[in-house]
Short mmCIF file of all heavy atoms in Angstrom, two decimals:
data_model
loop_
_atom_site.label_atom_id
_atom_site.label_comp_id
_atom_site.label_asym_id
_atom_site.label_seq_id
_atom_site.Cartn_x
_atom_site.Cartn_y
_atom_site.Cartn_z
N GLY A 20 -11.02 8.06 18.00
CA GLY A 20 -12.04 7.37 18.76
C GLY A 20 -11.55 6.09 19.40
O GLY A 20 -10.40 5.66 19.18
N GLU A 47 -3.69 7.02 1.05
CA GLU A 47 -3.40 6.89 -0.36
C GLU A 47 -4.32 7.83 -1.13
O GLU A 47 -5.54 7.72 -1.05
CB GLU A 47 -3.62 5.44 -0.82
CG GLU A 47 -3.26 5.23 -2.29
CD GLU A 47 -3.51 3.79 -2.72
OE1 GLU A 47 -4.26 3.08 -2.01
OE2 GLU A 47 -2.99 3.39 -3.76
N ASP A 48 -3.73 8.77 -1.86
CA ASP A 48 -4.53 9.79 -2.56
C ASP A 48 -3.72 10.31 -3.74
O ASP A 48 -2.81 11.11 -3.57
CB ASP A 48 -4.90 10.93 -1.60
CG ASP A 48 -5.77 11.98 -2.27
OD1 ASP A 48 -6.39 11.68 -3.31
OD2 ASP A 48 -5.85 13.10 -1.71
N ARG A 54 -7.38 14.07 0.37
CA ARG A 54 -6.67 14.78 1.45
C ARG A 54 -7.34 16.11 1.76
O ARG A 54 -7.48 16.51 2.92
CB ARG A 54 -5.20 15.00 1.08
CG ARG A 54 -4.42 15.67 2.20
CD ARG A 54 -2.99 16.04 1.78
NE ARG A 54 -2.29 16.63 2.91
CZ ARG A 54 -2.41 17.92 3.27
NH1 ARG A 54 -3.23 18.72 2.59
NH2 ARG A 54 -1.73 18.38 4.32
N ASP A 62 -10.73 19.62 10.48
CA ASP A 62 -10.80 20.98 11.00
C ASP A 62 -12.17 21.25 11.63
O ASP A 62 -12.27 21.78 12.74
CB ASP A 62 -10.51 21.98 9.87
CG ASP A 62 -10.63 23.43 10.37
OD1 ASP A 62 -9.86 23.79 11.28
OD2 ASP A 62 -11.46 24.17 9.84
N ILE A 79 -19.24 12.70 12.44
CA ILE A 79 -18.33 12.62 11.31
C ILE A 79 -19.09 12.44 10.00
O ILE A 79 -18.79 13.11 9.00
CB ILE A 79 -17.31 11.49 11.52
CG1 ILE A 79 -16.36 11.82 12.67
CG2 ILE A 79 -16.53 11.19 10.23
CD1 ILE A 79 -15.49 10.68 13.12
N PHE A 111 -26.23 18.12 21.38
CA PHE A 111 -25.88 18.72 20.10
C PHE A 111 -26.60 17.97 18.98
O PHE A 111 -26.82 16.76 19.07
CB PHE A 111 -24.38 18.66 19.86
CG PHE A 111 -23.54 19.48 20.80
CD1 PHE A 111 -23.11 18.94 22.00
CD2 PHE A 111 -23.19 20.78 20.50
CE1 PHE A 111 -22.34 19.67 22.87
CE2 PHE A 111 -22.42 21.54 21.37
CZ PHE A 111 -21.98 20.97 22.57
N THR A 163 -48.02 12.99 26.03
CA THR A 163 -49.22 12.26 25.60
C THR A 163 -48.95 11.52 24.29
O THR A 163 -48.02 11.86 23.57
CB THR A 163 -50.42 13.22 25.43
OG1 THR A 163 -51.60 12.47 25.16
CG2 THR A 163 -50.18 14.22 24.29
N GLU A 171 -50.66 -5.87 17.84
CA GLU A 171 -50.96 -6.90 18.81
C GLU A 171 -51.88 -6.34 19.90
O GLU A 171 -51.91 -5.15 20.13
CB GLU A 171 -49.67 -7.47 19.44
CG GLU A 171 -48.76 -6.41 20.04
CD GLU A 171 -47.44 -7.00 20.51
OE1 GLU A 171 -47.46 -8.04 21.19
OE2 GLU A 171 -46.39 -6.41 20.21
N LEU A 176 -54.61 -3.81 31.39
CA LEU A 176 -53.43 -3.41 32.13
C LEU A 176 -53.86 -2.96 33.52
O LEU A 176 -54.74 -2.11 33.67
CB LEU A 176 -52.69 -2.27 31.44
CG LEU A 176 -52.01 -2.62 30.11
CD1 LEU A 176 -51.47 -1.35 29.46
CD2 LEU A 176 -50.91 -3.63 30.30
N ILE A 184 -50.98 4.03 31.22
CA ILE A 184 -50.46 4.70 30.04
C ILE A 184 -48.94 4.67 29.98
O ILE A 184 -48.35 4.80 28.92
CB ILE A 184 -50.95 6.18 30.00
CG1 ILE A 184 -50.65 6.83 28.65
CG2 ILE A 184 -50.36 6.98 31.11
CD1 ILE A 184 -51.38 6.25 27.48
N PRO A 217 -53.19 10.45 28.69
CA PRO A 217 -53.67 9.78 27.47
C PRO A 217 -54.35 10.80 26.56
O PRO A 217 -55.05 11.70 27.04
CB PRO A 217 -54.67 8.74 27.97
CG PRO A 217 -54.36 8.56 29.42
CD PRO A 217 -53.83 9.88 29.90
N PHE A 247 -56.24 17.90 19.89
CA PHE A 247 -54.95 18.15 20.55
C PHE A 247 -54.39 19.52 20.19
O PHE A 247 -53.96 20.28 21.06
CB PHE A 247 -53.94 17.07 20.16
CG PHE A 247 -52.54 17.39 20.62
CD1 PHE A 247 -52.15 17.17 21.93
CD2 PHE A 247 -51.61 17.95 19.74
CE1 PHE A 247 -50.88 17.49 22.37
CE2 PHE A 247 -50.34 18.28 20.17
CZ PHE A 247 -49.96 18.03 21.48
N ARG A 271 -55.00 3.87 6.66
CA ARG A 271 -53.94 4.88 6.63
C ARG A 271 -54.53 6.27 6.43
O ARG A 271 -54.04 7.27 6.98
CB ARG A 271 -52.96 4.53 5.51
CG ARG A 271 -51.84 5.55 5.31
CD ARG A 271 -50.94 5.11 4.15
NE ARG A 271 -49.96 6.17 3.84
CZ ARG A 271 -48.80 6.28 4.44
NH1 ARG A 271 -48.46 5.44 5.38
NH2 ARG A 271 -47.96 7.25 4.10
N ALA A 279 -53.16 16.61 9.14
CA ALA A 279 -52.63 17.89 9.62
C ALA A 279 -51.53 18.43 8.71
O ALA A 279 -51.47 19.63 8.46
CB ALA A 279 -52.10 17.70 11.06
N ILE A 286 -48.85 27.22 6.97
CA ILE A 286 -48.91 28.21 8.05
C ILE A 286 -47.48 28.51 8.51
O ILE A 286 -46.79 27.63 9.02
CB ILE A 286 -49.76 27.71 9.23
CG1 ILE A 286 -51.20 27.45 8.77
CG2 ILE A 286 -49.73 28.71 10.39
CD1 ILE A 286 -52.11 26.92 9.88
N PRO A 303 -25.81 2.13 12.70
CA PRO A 303 -25.83 2.33 11.23
C PRO A 303 -26.69 1.29 10.48
O PRO A 303 -27.17 1.56 9.40
CB PRO A 303 -24.36 2.22 10.84
CG PRO A 303 -23.61 2.61 12.08
CD PRO A 303 -24.44 2.12 13.22
#
Side-chain angles (χ1 to χ4, degrees):
E47 183 181 17
D48 182 19
R54 182 186 181 279
D62 178 60
I79 291 169
F111 295 88
T163 186
E171 54 186 313
L176 292 174
I184 191 66
F247 170 80
R271 177 181 173 87
I286 299 178

